[in-house]
Amino acid sequence: MTKTIEDIKKLVEPDRIHRSLYSDPELFALEQERIFESTWVYMGHESQVKENGDYMTLNIGRKPVIMVRGRDGNINVLHNQCTHRGAKVAGKKCGNARAFRCCYHGWTFKTDGTLIGVPHKGGYEETHFDIKDPKFSLKVVRSQSYRGFIFANLSSKGADLKEFLGDAASSIDNMIERSPGGDLEITGGVLRYRHNCNWKFFVDNLNDTMHPMVTHQSVGDACQSYIDELPKDTPPTREMDIVAPFGSSYENFDMMGVSVGPKGHAFTGGTDSIHSNYMEVDGYIEAMHKSYGEEKTKEILCVNRHNTIYYPSLTIKGAIQSIRIIRPISVNETEIETWTFRLKGAPDDMLHRTMLYSRLINSPSSMVGSDDLEAYTRLSEGLMSGGSEWVDMSRFIGREERPDGNMTRAIGTSDISLRNQYAAWLGYMTDVPQQEEL
Amino acid sequence: MSDKNCPTTSEITALINRETELLDDKKLAEWIALFSEKGTYWMPVAIDQADPLNHISIFYDDVLMMNVRKHNLKHARAPSKEVEIRSSRLTGNIRLLDFDAKTGNMTVKCNFQAVLYYNEQTLFAGQYIYKFIWTGEKYLIEQKKVNLINCDASHGTIITYI
């Protein structure tokens, strides 16, 4: 590594960042180490490992880990690395295991990581090996749950998860409250969408409200062209409900507002968003009234946020119960996973609506997502030109901003969430004690 | 009404050839006209996925969404549609899974390979499963289901129907 802290500081200014942030492989490696492998990264929801022994294999940055519910019912995150020669002890994406047995020499570990078996053990007599020595157990990663959302942190230092999420956790709270049963459950599989671009283009775009009317104009127009073909008085459909707002006006997006907080977290929308005018689903309001009463229901449902980003790894749409996980693969390769929540106690039709939303907006086949990805691809290629060294994010800087709890609220088309993310990025990338001096 | 005769292999092949040819030729309006009013195009994301509503899919379009895509594909300002899409579909191993002489309806399965050239060349492979309904005059598609062998892979943009 040749980049010093001083070099990195020169890449981020208050209203612009250097183009190399998106293309420099060395910066990508440093991001993995200093961001993804040093802060709270989303693993999954507790409903994905319901039974004791249920596990999922994941990565934190470049490091393979296992999220597993142990025999005691507790969920642990373990390094997926045999303490013998180092092979991954779990190979499948998910499954149920009584123990993890390494496929190479058969060292076997309990689901809490404890080493319990080593074949032909006699050969280790008079060596440093001791089956009871914790250093031969799978190393446990610090993990915490926020209301069922499990995050892990490879760094043992730093804030607890709740403090890390800060006021932005209210988006998770709202998604849970939208369930008449007060609980969520992951269901219905996962969509994986390969993005041939740097992970930050995707994150930048989540709260970029100046692009939909340009990038997605064709989708709004296509909806309108189809409506024009239909006989008059044809009732509106749910598909149009979902797709058409992506062609909303600048004024609409201004009004939505945006809130930013510490650590790069942010959300667009408040009482209004592109989700706030959906048709009602039969039976849902009634179920909510029964659980919460009319007034509280109104209070819950008038929170209509669009995307909330828990920087750097998770983005959620509480109003539509869909989440996406950001998995960087290389400097110009990223995988985006889309998962769906069922609101417990809600009619099945609510789930069907979420599935429809994810297919129309987040699937590899989406008319909306494919135009976003096309824009990211052109950003990747365009920034290599070097006609300008800088990427602008100055819109509404210092204007139309006000404090909102521990967050800052701004006009919806402000670049404030970009500025906030890159301030957090710079914080992570330059907060490196000792190592630098070695 | 008398029972309908079972279509011959060449009649079934002609139906499939017509459908895939219209996609190859990007004649989406004519392609959509092959579907019944309640017709759907389904591409599951999981192997043996039984359910398009309670489980996520890559595609599950009704005729309405097909029509929106038709307009979107030719829109001058759809950035991802500026690159020309070229494709070639090949089908084989056509077999009749089910035929109901009373209604004339049938289910047909075949293997396919589809090569798309869009920025780069991509190969898709798997099975098509067609549910055809007999109107008394012609067959319409009630559902075209596309089972990709790599349905659960991490896909780049799938720019059009396969």
Side-chain angles (χ1 to χ4, degrees), chain B residues 91-128:
Chain B
T91 55
N93 294 11
I94 297 169
R95 56 269 195 205
L96 181 67
L97 295 186
D98 182 59
F99 174 73
D100 180 354
K102 286 268 179 293
T103 58
N105 298 347
M106 63 177 172
T107 306
V108 174
K109 185 177 184 179
C110 65
N111 289 9
F112 79 89
Q113 298 199 351
V115 181
L116 252 72
Y117 180 58
Y118 161 78
N119 286 322
E120 56 185 26
Q121 191 153 304
T122 313
L123 178 66
F124 294 93
Q127 286 118 31
Y128 293 149

Side-chain angles (χ1 to χ4, degrees), chain A residues 91-367:
Chain A
K92 291 198 296 185
K93 276 203 188 316
C94 61
N96 183 279
R98 292 183 54 168
F100 296 110
R101 181 171 174 271
C102 181
C103 71
Y104 198 17
H105 301 98
W107 286 31
T108 302
F109 303 85
K110 286 207 301 195
T111 49
D112 67 359
T114 313
L115 179 63
I116 48 170
V118 172
H120 211 32
K121 212 162 44 185
Y124 286 107
E125 277 168 26
E126 295 171 47
T127 72
H128 69 295
F129 176 77
D130 173 5
I131 197 165
K132 293 197 178 74
D133 185 338
K135 81 175 178 204
F136 291 106
S137 289
L138 297 179
K139 199 171 165 193
V140 177
V141 181
R142 180 158 75 126
S143 67
Q144 288 176 11
S145 167
Y146 180 78
R147 303 190 69 181
F149 288 69
I150 296 159
F151 287 73
N153 191 336
L154 284 169
S155 165
S156 53
K157 295 176 301 217
D160 281 348
L161 176 60
K162 199 164 189 295
E163 188 188 335
F164 167 80
L165 296 173
D167 285 359
S170 56
S171 295
I172 292 177
D173 296 337
N174 182 251
M175 179 153 59
I176 297 170
E177 284 187 324
R178 282 171 173 265
S179 154
D183 201 6
L184 300 171
E185 179 185 34
I186 287 280
T187 188
V190 54
L191 277 176
R192 295 194 168 89
Y193 193 170
R194 184 61 65 105
H195 282 46
N196 53 346
C197 68
N198 188 269
W199 65 278
K200 297 191 294 301
F201 288 127
F202 174 86
V203 177
D204 291 354
N205 191 58
L206 290 166
N207 291 319
D208 180 314
T209 54
M210 285 298 288
H211 84 282
M213 55 297 286
V214 181
T215 312
H216 306 308
Q217 182 195 344
S218 70
V219 182
D221 287 356
C223 288
Q224 196 53 52
S225 301
Y226 177 61
I227 291 168
D228 293 344
E229 285 175 3
L230 297 172
K232 277 207 173 105
D233 306 326
T234 306
T237 68
R238 188 176 285 169
E239 285 90 343
M240 298 304 181
D241 244 15
I242 288 173
V243 176
F246 278 83
S248 295
S249 69
Y250 291 113
E251 290 71 24
N252 273 346
F253 284 103
D254 269 341
M255 268 168 41
M256 269 185 218
V258 53
S259 292
V260 304
K263 294 286 173 194
H265 309 327
F267 60 83
T268 31
T271 54
D272 286 307
S273 79
I274 61 171
H275 309 300
S276 51
N277 293 314
Y278 288 161
M279 289 182 276
E280 284 183 10
V281 168
D282 281 346
Y284 174 62
I285 295 289
E286 291 77 359
M288 288 293 283
H289 283 170
K290 220 170 156 184
S291 297
Y292 297 102
E294 275 186 41
E295 201 161 317
K296 178 71 180 166
T297 299
K298 211 169 158 189
E299 200 180 293
I300 294 166
L301 298 183
C302 83
V303 177
N304 274 294
R305 293 175 186 170
H306 177 38
N307 290 313
T308 301
I309 168 74
Y310 297 106
Y311 194 79
S313 67
L314 173 68
T315 173
I316 75 166
K317 291 174 189 283
I320 197 76
Q321 299 95 49
S322 166
I323 66 169
R324 284 175 290 173
I325 304 173
I326 299 126
R327 302 198 183 284
I329 294 166
S330 69
V331 68
N332 47 27
E333 235 184 329
T334 308
E335 187 171 296
I336 305 297
E337 288 182 2
T338 300
W339 296 86
T340 307
F341 278 111
R342 178 204 300 279
L343 298 174
K344 286 197 181 163
D348 287 349
D349 215 17
M350 286 296 282
L351 178 64
H352 300 167
R353 183 177 75 176
T354 306
M355 293 298 180
L356 177 67
Y357 184 94
S358 293
R359 283 198 306 276
L360 295 182
I361 311 301
N362 298 332
S363 164
S365 73
S366 164
M367 286 179 284

